[in-house]
Amino acid sequence: LKPLEAIAGVINYVTRTYPWLTPYQYGVYLQLNSCRPGRNQDGWRDDGFQISDHDPLSDQEGDGCAAPFYDGTNSTIRERLIFFKRIKRLPWNVKAMEQLTSPNSLVKRPAKPAIGAKVTYSFGDASGQFFGQAEYEQDTDVIRIDVGRWTKEASERGSNFWELATIVTKVEDLERRGKLSQFSEVFVFTDNFVSEGVFHKGNARSANLFELMLRLHLTMMRTGAKVHVIWIAGKRMISNGIDGCSRADYDVGMATAMIHPLSYVPLHATVLERNHHLLDFVRDFTELRELHPLTPADWFLSAIRIKGVHLWTPAPGAASTAVELWARAAQVQPRSCHIWLSPSIWTTSWRKTLGKASDILIELPFDNVFWLNDLDFEPLILAISFPLLHSYPWKIKFSRLHQRFKDQLREVQQPGLSHVGHCLQELWVSANKWKNLSRGVACELLPHEARRPVPSSPLSKTGSVRQRRSY
């Protein structure tokens, strides 16, 4: 157990320099956690598992090893036999890391493409037995469209395999044609969210998807190119014509060369540039008529130094950086309020962080309400981080009343924008009232689940058990 933990720690530091190793840490961590209750044969956590219903004797399957544990009843640490399951993914991950670290000399990874880098945009879609790909190199007038048909073996592997294989084959084709180098950056767009998630997180349970991702990371390592996989709405893929190309239809979208390819993927456009009426929507439910959006320069200065209400409207291409600064501003100025508005594009790398740093995060799928442009289809992401309370529970997100508002917002996503604004206004007014609540009243608003006692800490230096206060 200890040697495997040491190996996991070393790999964690290596991935900071070589991020293409990150997806292959999962096998090691799944093996380490396979002894925990509520884990299936693949090491993943079972949905709906309750620790209170667990029988420790029921997990005695697999290989056993002695490991220390604290039973919480006295001040001694004993050893017991812990059983580990054999995780199928571990050999895959070890094999992948061996291939990615096989070169005798260290691979130099550029921190960012140099000035004058070659940027390539690729769109891919698969439907049934066929697939279509479009390639556009920045500052050129050429759009390359490839159409193909899957082999019999590949056509039986499912849509997720087709979509990811379309991405991998395109990147490998760019390498064969000499289009990839350490000065290259490739943006690949797909309407399959699984492909984006597998690329960023590497949590594919399928062996076929795993092999495809390994091929992609090997290509990135050999060439030094920077590759981004970005999900876009299926309607956007239809409008740009790539969906039609996979069905041998070349009369719409990029195939007609009537509209610039980059107009189909506005990574530079904020929500207010797409629909300026959204600023009035935020001003209405906050009742702050003088509220203005922050500029990129304000992310580094005003949001951190000035206490107040800040409106963040980053473009999808800068959202990852904005989320880091959002979390930093919330720590430096805990009495400030932050509101986030952005389209749901390129969210895999930052959405989890935004959810942790905010009190509420919802997705509003009003395609025909929020966007004025006929080429905009993605949902709208709205997040709010309220100021810290003066007493326990400290955060609005832990209150029962807040949960009720959140449930109401989920229920009214379809009726109309005005109804959503009304619910947000109620939440905004209530949150401002909670700021000065006394400790007793604030505790009454907590959900019952948060009242569980905090587990006891391990032994202190003096040998006594340290008990934490429970609320």
Side-chain angles (χ1 to χ4, degrees):
L1 179 62
K2 288 297 182 182
L4 191 58
E5 289 179 343
I7 292 173
V10 173
I11 296 174
N12 190 34
Y13 279 99
V14 173
T15 55
R16 297 186 179 185
T17 305
Y18 301 104
W20 50 69
L21 291 175
T22 301
Y24 309 107
Q25 297 181 94
Y26 280 85
V28 179
Y29 286 106
L30 290 176
Q31 184 64 65
L32 284 172
N33 290 279
S34 63
C35 63
R36 296 181 181 275
R39 300 277 175 161
N40 57 25
Q41 292 298 324
D42 295 327
W44 299 99
R45 186 181 303 160
D46 289 330
D47 296 334
F49 175 77
Q50 298 292 334
I51 190 67
S52 58
D53 301 331
H54 172 61
D55 180 9
L57 298 179
S58 64
D59 280 344
Q60 296 184 5
E61 300 178 0
D63 301 327
C65 71
F69 81 103
Y70 175 68
D71 58 7
T73 58
N74 51 52
S75 61
T76 61
I77 296 181
R78 299 180 297 174
E79 287 191 352
R80 70 175 180 186
L81 197 63
I82 296 179
F83 292 87
F84 293 85
K85 302 181 179 67
R86 294 182 181 272
I87 304 301
K88 297 179 181 179
R89 181 167 178 162
L90 182 60
W92 299 353
N93 288 180
V94 173
K95 179 181 176 181
M97 287 188 286
E98 287 178 349
Q99 295 185 40
L100 290 170
T101 57
S102 59
N104 296 327
S105 59
L106 293 176
V107 178
K108 293 183 178 180
R109 183 182 67 89
K112 64 179 181 178
I115 298 177
K118 296 181 179 179
V119 181
T120 303
Y121 299 88
S122 174
F123 302 80
D125 187 42
S127 57
Q129 298 180 351
F130 300 91
F131 64 89
Q133 299 171 335
E135 172 193 335
Y136 169 73
E137 188 174 337
Q138 193 171 12
D139 299 330
T140 63
D141 298 327
V142 178
I143 300 176
R144 177 188 173 114
I145 296 180
D146 300 319
V147 180
R149 181 172 182 174
W150 299 113
T151 62
K152 182 179 180 181
E153 179 184 1
S155 61
E156 297 174 352
R157 295 189 176 180
S159 60
N160 289 333
F161 174 85
W162 302 337
E163 298 284 356
L164 187 57
T166 303
I167 297 173
V168 176
T169 55
K170 169 52 70 175
V171 177
E172 291 176 341
D173 179 60
L174 291 172
E175 181 189 15
R176 283 192 297 268
R177 293 190 283 121
K179 297 288 186 179
L180 295 185
S181 67
Q182 61 179 352
F183 304 107
S184 302
E185 191 162 7
V186 182
F187 294 84
V188 185
F189 300 92
T190 177
D191 60 352
N192 183 262
F193 194 75
V194 174
S195 299
E196 185 189 38
V198 169
F199 177 79
H200 286 280
K201 300 179 181 179
N203 56 350
R205 304 188 186 187
S206 168
N208 294 327
L209 299 184
F210 182 88
E211 292 296 333
L212 287 174
M213 283 308 308
L214 178 58
R215 286 167 51 185
L216 182 58
H217 284 126
L218 286 172
T219 303
M220 295 169 59
M221 184 189 70
R222 288 192 301 266
T223 62
K226 194 173 185 64
V227 179
H228 309 278
V229 177
I230 304 172
W231 173 86
I232 58 177
K235 294 181 180 179
R236 186 180 294 276
M237 193 66 73
I238 294 174
S239 68
N240 63 27
I242 305 305
D243 182 80
C245 289
S246 63
R247 296 180 173 86
D249 182 9
Y250 309 106
D251 296 332
V252 292
M254 287 188 289
T256 63
M258 299 296 291
I259 303 178
H260 196 279
L262 297 186
S263 63
Y264 294 103
V265 282
L267 299 180
H268 64 285
T270 67
V271 291
L272 299 184
E273 292 173 347
R274 301 182 184 202
N275 187 351
H276 59 276
H277 297 299
L278 284 174
L279 180 57
D280 296 328
F281 169 71
V282 177
R283 287 174 174 175
D284 288 340
F285 79 77
T286 60
E287 299 181 350
L288 299 174
R289 306 309 303 175
E290 300 300 325
L291 182 64
H292 295 282
L294 298 174
T295 64
D298 294 334
W299 301 347
F300 297 86
L301 299 175
S302 300
I304 297 176
R305 298 179 180 179
I306 301 176
K307 184 175 69 173
V309 179
H310 302 291
L311 176 59
W312 300 65
T313 58
S320 180
T321 301
V323 167
E324 295 181 7
L325 296 173
W326 161 293
R328 180 183 175 186
Q331 290 183 338
V332 175
Q333 289 288 352
R335 303 302 177 189
S336 294
C337 180
H338 302 273
I339 304 173
W340 175 285
L341 283 176
S342 69
S344 183
I345 303 179
W346 208 354
T347 62
T348 306
S349 60
W350 53 263
R351 181 162 181 165
K352 184 176 180 180
T353 304
L354 180 63
K356 291 182 177 180
S358 59
D359 291 297
I360 180 172
L361 188 150
I362 57 176
E363 187 175 276
L364 304 174
F366 293 108
D367 299 343
N368 58 344
V369 176
F370 286 138
W371 311 134
L372 300 179
N373 192 342
D374 294 336
L375 298 179
D376 290 326
F377 305 100
E378 285 76 20
L380 176 73
I381 293 181
L382 170 65
I384 302 176
S385 176
F386 293 103
L388 287 179
L389 301 176
H390 293 283
S391 61
Y392 185 83
W394 311 116
K395 293 288 289 181
I396 296 294
K397 66 191 303 182
F398 301 126
S399 65
R400 183 188 297 121
L401 190 56
H402 164 263
Q403 185 63 41
R404 189 184 72 180
F405 278 117
K406 194 173 180 180
D407 294 339
Q408 290 178 352
L409 288 174
R410 289 197 185 104
E411 295 174 359
V412 302
Q413 285 182 2
Q414 296 302 327
L417 182 61
S418 60
H419 200 166
V420 174
H422 177 71
C423 292
L424 287 172
Q425 187 177 29
E426 285 191 44
L427 176 61
W428 184 268
V429 173
S430 299
N432 289 328
K433 292 181 179 179
W434 296 344
K435 290 191 298 185
N436 299 319
L437 286 179
S438 63
R439 180 185 181 88
V441 176
C443 289
E444 289 299 323
L445 296 176
L446 276 175
H448 296 292
E449 291 77 13
R451 291 180 175 273
R452 293 178 300 175
V454 178
S456 302
S457 302
L459 297 179
S460 63
K461 295 181 180 180
T462 59
S464 60
V465 180
R466 295 179 297 177
Q467 298 289 339
R468 292 183 178 178
R469 182 175 180 179
S470 61
Y471 295 96

